[in-house]
Amino acid sequence: MLQRPTQRTAAILFAATAATAALSLAFVTTASASADGTAPKTAPVAAAALPSVSGSPEGAFTRIADFYGAYIDAVYDGDGTTADQLRSFYLSKPLQTELKKWEETNHANGVLRAQNVPSQWKVTSTGSGAGKTSATVTLTWGGGTTTQIHVQADLATKKITSIKD
């Protein structure tokens, strides 16, 4: 089920507040004096790792991940103009033409290979060779089901050249 932007913002704020509270608790320790007046020894408490995202504009693999993250956000928000601009920038011209034909035949979004928007995405490199880099995009849908899409990008142009089920 799609969330409206206000619901999504509230969910993000709630998650951020919960993460902050968890980190605060991880750093707080209580100590009481022992019979000899020294503080008892306590084991170090591990803090939860905060998420991070990194990349480089020079890497074709990073471009695949950047595209899918931004594209899913645009489609989720109902911003067709931005989704079209992202396709134009990140996808090769032949792939854009191929996707239009696929979409006419399948009545679905060719980039996502679906009629709706996933709730999560993950891009995993599957290697590079012969001037291409390959990745598997795992899309998570409501109810926890997943699908995978196999994507290739040209190392020289960094444009995505292939999207297959």
Side-chain angles (χ1 to χ4, degrees):
M1 179 173 155
L2 295 177
Q3 295 178 333
R4 285 187 247 135
T6 54
Q7 292 172 320
R8 185 177 186 195
T9 301
I12 290 168
L13 289 173
F14 176 77
T17 303
T20 302
L23 283 174
S24 297
L25 288 174
F27 290 115
V28 173
T29 60
T30 58
S32 60
S34 64
D36 65 358
T38 61
K41 293 181 182 179
T42 59
V45 178
L50 295 176
S52 67
V53 177
S54 63
S56 167
E58 296 176 3
F61 170 73
T62 300
R63 296 280 181 111
I64 294 170
D66 290 346
F67 169 70
Y68 268 90
Y71 185 79
I72 289 169
D73 287 349
V75 173
Y76 178 89
D77 291 344
D79 189 347
T81 300
T82 299
D84 290 343
Q85 290 170 341
L86 290 165
R87 280 182 178 227
S88 179
F89 181 78
Y90 284 97
L91 308 180
S92 69
K93 294 287 184 198
L95 179 58
Q96 291 176 48
T97 301
E98 179 184 321
L99 287 176
K100 284 182 183 182
K101 290 178 186 174
W102 188 95
E103 291 169 342
E104 288 172 6
T105 301
N106 294 282
H107 307 288
N109 183 307
V111 170
L112 302 174
R113 297 297 207 239
Q115 293 179 334
N116 52 3
V117 183
S119 58
Q120 295 179 20
W121 56 269
K122 177 181 178 181
V123 180
T124 306
S125 175
T126 55
S128 294
K132 304 278 185 200
T133 192
S134 299
T136 298
V137 179
T138 303
L139 303 174
T140 303
W141 306 94
T145 60
T146 62
T147 57
Q148 292 188 329
I149 301 169
H150 304 284
V151 181
Q152 277 193 334
D154 184 273
L155 290 172
T157 66
K158 298 168 191 65
K159 297 281 187 184
I160 296 171
T161 58
S162 174
I163 297 175
K164 305 283 184 204
D165 298 36

